[in-house]
Amino acid sequence: MTNSKVDSAHPYIPNTVPEVRDAMLKQIGAESVEELFSAIPDELIYKKEMAIPEALAEFDLSKHLERTLNKNTSTKDVISFLGGGCWEHFVPAVCDEVNSRAEFLTAYAGDEYEDHGRFQVLFEYQSLVAELVDMDVVNVPTFDWAQAAATSIRMASRITGRKEALVPKTISPDRLKIIKNYCSPDIQLTFVDYDEATGKMDLADLQRKLSADVAAVYFENPSYLGFIETACKEINELAKQHAAITIVGVDPSSLGIMEPPSRYGADIVCGELQPLGIHMNYGGGLSGFIATRDEVKFVEEFPSRLFGVAPTSVEGEYGFGDVLYERTSMAQREKGKESVGTQTSMWAITAGVYLALMGPNGMKELGTTIMQKSQYAVQQLDKIEGITASHFKGINFKEFVVDFNGTGKTVKEVNEKLREKGIFGGIDLSEEFPELGQAALYCVTEVHSKADIDQLVEALQSL
Amino acid sequence: MKGIIRNQKVRNFHQAKWDEPIIFELHQEGERGVIPPHAEQDITESVGDGVSVLPEALQRKADPKLPEISQNRVLRHYLRLSQETLGAAFNVEIGQGTCTMKYSPKINEVYAASPKVTALHPKQDDATVQGMLEVIHNLDLYMREISGMDYFSFQPGSGTQSLFAMASIVRAYHEANGEADQRDEIITTIFSHPSQAATAAVKGYKIITLYPDEDGFPDIDKLKAAVSERTAGFVVANPEDTGIYNAKIKEFTKIVHDAGGICYYDQANANGLLGITRAKEAGFDMCFFNLHKTFSTPHACGGPAAGALGVTDQLKPFLPGPIVEKDGDTYTLNDDLEHSIGKVRSYHGVPQNILRAYAWIRALGAKGLKQVAETAVLNNNYLYHEILKIKGAGAPYIKGKRLEQVRYSWEKLYQDTGVTTEDISRRMADFGHQYWTSHHPFVVPQPFTLEPTESYSKTDLDEYIASLTHIANEAYTDPEKVKSAPYNSSIHAVVDQSPFEDPNKWAVTWRAYLKKTKASN
């Protein structure tokens, strides 16, 4: 079914009404619409009709989209244990209400006087995340954790004038790809090895690799593989001995119960906002933040927009604007700090709403629940013959490596069987970390019930 | 009853003014906004409190100082602030030139909010996301038609990230040919987006910027002088922010190709070109479209957005992975690209925007897409024609028709009255309009950039023109009125800019504000 009216006036294009179009052409002294394109040489004019299906009217479009999307199986249709950088969490209804408001959804880059509300909510988001990480400066967020980490490393390189960064070998391979491409060609990334038993950073290797060329030591807490890095102070002290900057990537859902990295010496903290009230969206829900102390040497190196508060000409009003706008590529083109443009402001607003709803108690309860449920899952899975959970001996947050080497089955085979039972098993690590053999990264958050975990255990037992 | 007379030429507007506190000021100890899921009793009995296993040093000692607020009050706060935000759905959104502010259809929001999109995990097995992969693949096919390119990746999360991906591909291409060290320059133009130069610089390139000739075209002689065995690439928009189409573009791309460089086309905004002219025929090796501009996905206060990055077959092996491929009736993800730059954004970019753009194209079809371009250009030329009649307004460079936007100038008005384009920007807020000056540096003096898109009717355009006319008249009769604006906005003018420049005053967070104002309070 096609919309036979499309040839005259399309619902999205008011001036397709022929009479209006003719009147406008007449007003500007043009004979035809084609005349408006006379600047384009004839050899460059596309003379065919594009092979794109005919227009669908709204009802037909909705049927088509529904049919197409119904081919997807969502994590709501099954029990999913997938995480690894994008996680299933509880999303309060107010978060969706606010981020679907047309006022916010369709706004863009207006000034303070048209978009005062947008400036205030982004300032508030910065302020709320600042409390979580206990630092005084937070940016309008970038694309994702990976970009935030990459920019943090570039900031450290500019501050120190050095061209090497140390990263843990346990970093997410996808995240590493992004950081690597973003830092090349001028910043070299060097792996720091990990302890085979615990996954934690090998401090002797760190010491070997630190030098006067190292701009930054980057590590994550919790790590991609779920374990908690406990030698944070020692890592920071070693970095400082070589005047390198300590950058820590965090999952903010841990910060109601875990010390923020600023308390163990981190100079730059970055991480992912998606756990804070944002749906996964097949990865489209990611958003990366960067936080620092309020020191000129850090603030002037941010490429991002930083909204600051200021008085207006009327007492009692809060006004807002860009702090150190001259830093940015919008002001200085290639002489600005990296580049800035459209990133993920709507997710910043959403994360702000989430933190305002949760408050300190909500964040503490969230962290506690994740710890309890993931520990329960490890405890139960470990009872299954041939399976070791968790592979790394230590404490985990939210995620853990399940070792299937003793089962004689590949993770791929296990996951296929689980899928038949309505379960998405953990991320297959056999290609990402071949040294672990057949192992998978399982994720348990506050959304998983005891029954969900028990069902997983039962399904694995029956394989 | 006597009829109600409504003959005002400009809108009698006042923006919402809620005088809302900063959210921390709403704190009331003990209030709760939401209660997250807790562990069941059985779990607690099995594992205990879950937290004391953490080493003492890593247990959070002081709770984060987040406010405690009831749910209703949080919602009211954000809804009030939403009302103080002039989204495109509310105004004749033609003032944010270069941003292609168009109607974002509501039907697309319905499906973008479906759990069949929002609750997908990016590492799900391909077999469980066939609907989403089908959408990505089909959008790729449509983009190929629109551009003439051979393959698209939708991984970039914005125009800037698309430009960065393209600069990365340029480098990887020359690396593969062993020429990366020698080819260390990228050429761009001053009327192109700042991110073109900025992203190429991040990839280590020296930037050569071409300025316009007297008609506003990038200077071809300067290009000839700029290319050499050091040229890695050439990036340009066409038309640029001026709306002037460079008819010699094919000569430009040939000059760069002859020197061994890659040509990449910034089509962030291609709104005047759909079905009219394509990147391929103009000689480009790569192009990108912003799905949040030409393809209607909402701008979301500044993202998440999405870039569609198209390349010729020659450059396909360099794309960020994975890419979607079709094998019979099955869609798969292919991450095996020989020279891939790796990744620029996690996973598959912003799939909810890929869906929205797909839906928008399906609602228009090939004919509708061409109508978009034709109407956007008609609207722009109508606006241009009428704005040149306003006292004090002008548009430098070549006379004659422009494509989808124009960079105008209030230089005459400024010389006559002292009123600046920034003053006019604040005054436009009083009539419910967005208004944008231009990117820096201001090559055109006292600039403003308008782009009416296809979404606005003649009546809408007339309203915007009437507001500008009204303000220009004010500038000539009562300049102080314009300079002291706004009057009907949510707030008044921030006059003292030092809190944005002075380290002792700037406050990027509420806690920093409290520290820095402590002495005075």
Side-chain angles (χ1 to χ4, degrees):
Chain A
M1 285 267 287
T2 56
N3 180 356
S4 59
K5 296 284 182 198
V6 167
D7 284 341
S8 50
H10 192 282
Y12 302 166
I13 319 176
N15 286 343
T16 42
V17 174
E19 293 76 16
V20 176
R21 171 169 297 228
D22 292 347
M24 290 173 75
L25 282 169
K26 196 173 165 201
Q27 174 101 351
I28 62 173
E31 294 287 324
S32 66
V33 170
E34 288 70 38
E35 190 185 321
L36 304 177
F37 295 96
S38 56
I40 303 175
D42 187 60
E43 62 163 338
L44 295 185
I45 292 284
Y46 185 69
K47 298 190 181 73
K48 289 190 284 188
E49 185 168 300
M50 297 180 286
I52 290 173
E54 270 189 66
L56 293 173
E58 183 163 319
F59 181 75
D60 300 319
L61 176 63
S62 69
K63 297 301 282 183
H64 167 69
L65 294 175
E66 199 158 317
R67 266 197 304 271
T68 307
L69 293 178
N70 276 338
K71 296 175 190 169
N72 296 334
T73 305
S74 95
T75 56
K76 301 267 185 214
D77 303 324
V78 297
I79 305 168
S80 169
F81 295 94
L82 291 165
C86 184
W87 308 273
E88 194 180 354
H89 282 285
F90 161 61
V91 174
V94 173
C95 291
D96 285 341
E97 169 65 21
V98 171
N99 67 28
S100 61
R101 295 289 297 188
E103 292 92 334
F104 285 142
L105 185 67
T106 65
Y108 194 23
D111 284 326
E112 159 73 339
Y113 308 103
E114 297 100 11
D115 287 357
H116 173 71
R118 174 178 133 252
F119 278 76
Q120 182 163 335
V121 293
L122 288 169
F123 172 79
E124 291 180 346
Y125 141 80
Q126 293 168 181
S127 304
L128 290 158
V129 171
E131 296 302 336
L132 202 57
V133 298
D134 198 18
M135 289 187 120
D136 284 356
V137 177
V138 175
N139 67 338
V140 175
T142 181
F143 304 101
D144 49 23
W145 181 343
Q147 181 62 50
T151 283
S152 299
I153 289 170
R154 279 206 173 269
M155 286 170 68
S157 172
R158 287 194 296 274
I159 291 167
T160 59
R162 301 174 180 184
K163 298 288 184 187
E164 186 184 356
L166 305 185
V167 298
K169 208 175 168 186
T170 51
I171 191 172
S172 145
D174 271 6
R175 192 174 297 146
L176 179 68
K177 277 186 187 174
I178 294 169
I179 299 173
K180 216 170 177 176
N181 182 52
Y182 195 76
C183 287
S184 77
D186 53 327
I187 300 174
Q188 189 201 320
L189 301 178
T190 305
F191 272 147
V192 182
D193 233 324
Y194 65 92
D195 179 84
E196 276 179 25
T198 63
K200 292 176 204 170
M201 196 178 267
D202 177 343
L203 296 183
D205 194 46
L206 173 64
Q207 202 149 14
R208 270 195 299 277
K209 285 171 178 161
L210 272 163
S211 73
D213 298 328
V214 173
V217 177
Y218 170 80
F219 69 98
E220 297 174 347
N221 220 0
S223 67
Y224 170 64
L225 297 177
F227 61 83
I228 289 170
E229 177 55 72
T230 52
C232 311
K233 275 203 163 125
E234 291 83 346
I235 295 169
N236 177 56
E237 277 161 19
L238 286 170
K240 294 288 150 64
Q241 280 169 21
H242 293 82
I245 284 176
T246 305
I247 305 170
V248 180
V250 288
D251 173 346
S253 64
S254 69
L255 291 179
I257 53 157
M258 280 180 67
E259 278 287 52
S262 50
R263 300 270 175 81
Y264 47 79
D267 304 292
I268 304 178
V269 176
C270 61
E272 178 56 57
L273 295 173
Q274 184 267 325
L276 306 181
I278 302 161
H279 295 285
M280 297 184 292
N281 281 294
Y282 200 43
L286 301 193
S287 175
F289 72 90
I290 302 170
T292 67
R293 294 189 295 276
D294 191 357
E295 293 170 15
V296 175
K297 73 170 179 182
F298 291 112
V299 176
E300 68 184 7
E301 293 304 335
F302 274 93
S304 338
R305 295 184 79 172
L306 302 168
F307 288 143
V309 62
T312 76
S313 60
V314 171
E315 186 64 52
E317 283 183 354
Y318 292 122
F320 299 95
D322 281 280
V323 167
L324 284 190
Y325 180 75
E326 288 300 310
R327 293 171 288 120
T328 67
S329 63
M330 297 298 261
Q332 300 276 347
R333 298 174 68 88
E334 71 271 21
K335 294 188 182 67
K337 310 296 181 185
E338 301 168 44
S339 63
V340 67
T342 302
Q343 299 187 334
T344 54
S345 293
M346 187 59 90
W347 298 149
I349 295 170
T350 308
V353 174
Y354 179 88
L355 290 173
L357 288 167
M358 291 285 276
N361 294 318
M363 291 309 289
K364 197 189 265 181
E365 290 160 13
L366 174 72
T368 304
T369 306
I370 292 172
M371 287 296 275
Q372 289 177 312
K373 289 185 172 177
S374 54
Q375 283 165 31
Y376 176 75
V378 170
Q379 189 189 74
Q380 298 303 309
L381 288 167
D382 210 31
K383 291 178 184 165
I384 304 171
E385 205 187 322
I387 289 178
T388 309
S390 124
H391 172 87
F392 292 118
K393 301 304 159 211
I395 306 142
N396 298 294
F397 181 80
K398 191 155 101 180
E399 296 181 88
F400 47 91
V401 174
V402 180
D403 189 333
F404 289 94
N405 289 305
T407 63
K409 291 192 174 65
T410 64
V411 172
K412 195 164 184 267
E413 289 163 350
V414 170
N415 281 353
E416 272 166 20
K417 291 283 178 205
L418 287 176
R419 209 160 64 241
E420 287 166 13
K421 294 171 187 283
I423 295 171
F424 288 171
I427 292 174
D428 189 346
L429 295 174
S430 61
E431 281 186 25
E432 294 186 352
F433 292 88
E435 66 267 38
L436 299 178
Q438 293 301 320
L441 183 64
Y442 272 71
C443 170
V444 173
T445 75
E446 77 283 9
V447 303
H448 292 92
S449 66
K450 177 175 178 292
D452 293 338
I453 297 165
D454 291 346
Q455 203 174 319
L456 169 69
V457 172
E458 206 175 296
L460 286 172
Q461 266 163 345
S462 70
L463 291 186
Chain B
M1 183 176 92
K2 188 171 162 286
I4 297 163
I5 299 166
R6 284 181 59 82
N7 59 2
Q8 60 267 40
K9 285 211 171 76
V10 293
R11 190 170 290 269
N12 186 8
F13 173 81
H14 201 302
Q15 187 148 18
K17 181 181 174 62
W18 283 106
D19 197 25
E20 192 64 3
I22 301 294
I23 195 151
F24 290 84
E25 298 176 284
L26 301 174
H27 170 75
Q28 171 58 57
E29 196 174 335
E31 283 188 7
R32 297 290 305 252
V34 76
I35 296 174
H38 285 209
E40 294 92 329
Q41 182 88 33
D42 286 355
I43 290 184
T44 309
E45 280 168 13
S46 286
V47 300
D49 71 356
V51 178
S52 47
V53 295
L54 279 171
E56 171 71 16
L58 283 180
Q59 291 181 29
R60 186 151 191 156
K61 308 295 179 307
D63 288 345
K65 290 194 185 64
L66 297 169
E68 299 172 43
I69 314 169
S70 66
Q71 190 170 110
N72 172 23
R73 187 65 186 94
V74 172
L75 179 65
R76 202 185 318 145
H77 177 72
Y78 281 97
L79 294 189
R80 285 173 171 180
L81 292 173
S82 79
Q83 290 192 341
E84 294 179 345
T85 303
L86 193 61
F90 293 83
N91 73 101
V92 179
E93 179 67 274
I94 67 181
Q96 296 193 62
T98 78
C99 299
T100 319
M101 305 300 292
K102 61 171 63 179
Y103 175 57
S104 298
K106 283 292 155 191
I107 186 69
N108 303 351
E109 295 312 307
V110 173
Y111 291 94
S114 156
K116 293 287 186 185
V117 178
T118 60
L120 297 181
H121 188 281
K123 291 279 192 182
Q124 281 183 220
D125 192 274
D126 297 355
T128 64
V129 284
Q130 286 294 299
M132 184 53 84
L133 299 184
E134 180 184 326
V135 166
I136 296 172
H137 175 72
N138 284 339
L139 187 61
D140 173 14
L141 298 183
Y142 306 158
M143 290 296 172
R144 295 182 202 181
E145 284 295 304
I146 292 167
S147 65
M149 293 288 118
D150 297 315
Y151 215 93
F152 274 81
S153 161
F154 298 97
Q155 195 179 94
S158 73
T160 296
Q161 201 164 48
S162 302
L163 285 164
F164 180 72
M166 292 163 112
S168 303
I169 290 172
V170 169
R171 180 165 282 281
Y173 174 82
H174 292 306
E175 270 169 11
N177 291 336
E179 293 190 330
D181 291 338
Q182 168 203 326
R183 295 189 178 274
D184 62 352
E185 292 174 351
I186 281 187
I187 303 166
T188 180
T189 67
I190 194 67
F191 280 135
S192 292
H193 194 280
S195 288
Q196 291 183 9
T199 53
V202 173
K203 281 313 280 186
Y205 285 110
K206 295 185 189 110
I207 308 301
I208 298 176
T209 304
L210 304 181
Y211 278 70
D213 66 16
E214 59 188 17
D215 287 331
F217 296 107
D219 197 319
I220 195 162
D221 292 326
K222 287 181 184 155
L223 177 72
K224 283 177 189 162
V227 293
S228 72
E229 70 290 344
R230 295 181 64 181
T231 303
F234 170 59
V235 50
V236 74
N238 189 27
E240 299 173 285
D241 291 359
T242 53
I244 298 170
Y245 186 86
N246 175 10
K248 292 181 188 161
I249 191 64
K250 212 172 166 178
E251 284 177 64
F252 274 63
T253 54
K254 185 169 185 311
I255 291 165
V256 175
H257 283 152
D258 288 348
I262 295 278
C263 296
Y264 59 110
Y265 193 174
D266 179 342
Q267 296 204 278
N269 174 354
N271 213 38
L273 305 176
L274 300 173
I276 305 287
T277 187
R278 312 195 306 173
K280 180 187 182 176
E281 284 75 22
F284 286 96
D285 307 295
M286 291 189 273
C287 74
F288 82 92
F289 302 110
N290 273 349
L291 300 188
H292 52 293
K293 291 185 174 171
T294 308
F295 297 94
S296 91
T297 79
H299 288 70
C301 281
L309 165 56
V311 295
T312 55
D313 274 329
Q314 186 192 16
L315 294 178
K316 183 181 170 188
F318 296 88
L319 280 174
I323 55 176
V324 177
E325 285 179 345
K326 190 178 183 188
D327 181 11
D329 289 331
T330 306
Y331 300 92
T332 54
L333 289 169
N334 174 10
D335 212 357
D336 191 18
L337 297 157
E338 193 188 352
H339 299 292
S340 175
I341 58 168
K343 292 184 83 67
V344 291
R345 193 187 195 282
S346 303
Y347 308 117
H348 317 293
V350 185
Q352 67 273 33
N353 283 346
I354 297 172
L355 175 75
R356 286 170 167 125
Y358 170 81
W360 185 78
I361 289 176
R362 293 304 308 263
L364 285 153
K367 283 198 184 103
L369 291 176
K370 198 169 174 188
Q371 282 184 317
V372 165
E374 290 174 347
T375 311
V377 173
L378 173 66
N379 283 358
N380 184 49
N381 279 289
Y382 175 80
L383 191 74
Y384 178 46
H385 186 263
E386 298 303 304
I387 284 177
L388 293 184
K389 294 178 185 167
I390 300 174
K391 192 175 178 186
Y397 306 124
I398 194 169
K399 304 301 165 206
K401 304 292 184 275
R402 302 278 175 108
L403 288 185
E404 85 295 2
Q405 63 188 339
V406 176
R407 178 148 299 159
Y408 300 93
S409 174
W410 288 118
E411 178 63 8
K412 176 155 183 6
L413 180 122
Y414 171 68
Q415 294 299 339
D416 291 347
T417 68
V419 169
T420 66
T421 187
E422 287 89 356
D423 295 332
I424 292 174
S425 173
R426 292 194 312 280
R427 185 68 177 130
M428 282 294 271
D430 287 333
F431 299 99
H433 294 303
Q434 296 277 359
Y435 173 101
W436 185 61
T437 54
S438 98
H439 290 299
H440 293 93
F442 285 178
V443 178
V444 169
Q446 302 297 329
F448 63 114
T449 313
L450 307 179
E451 182 190 5
T453 79
E454 76 283 7
S455 296
Y456 299 98
S457 70
K458 178 176 173 298
T459 309
D460 295 334
L461 302 180
D462 287 341
E463 179 186 332
Y464 199 91
I465 294 159
S467 301
L468 282 177
T469 307
H470 178 88
I471 295 169
N473 289 339
E474 270 183 355
Y476 280 97
T477 54
D478 184 5
E480 280 312 309
K481 177 94 186 179
V482 186
K483 287 180 182 173
S484 302
Y487 307 94
N488 301 334
S489 168
S490 304
I491 59 154
H492 294 82
V494 177
V495 180
D496 177 9
Q497 297 290 309
S498 66
F500 306 133
E501 304 293 337
D502 179 350
N504 296 314
K505 292 186 186 173
W506 73 46
V508 176
T509 54
W510 182 243
R511 59 198 263 146
Y513 171 80
L514 293 179
K515 285 178 195 168
K516 292 182 185 182
T517 56
K518 206 172 177 185
S520 68
N521 290 341

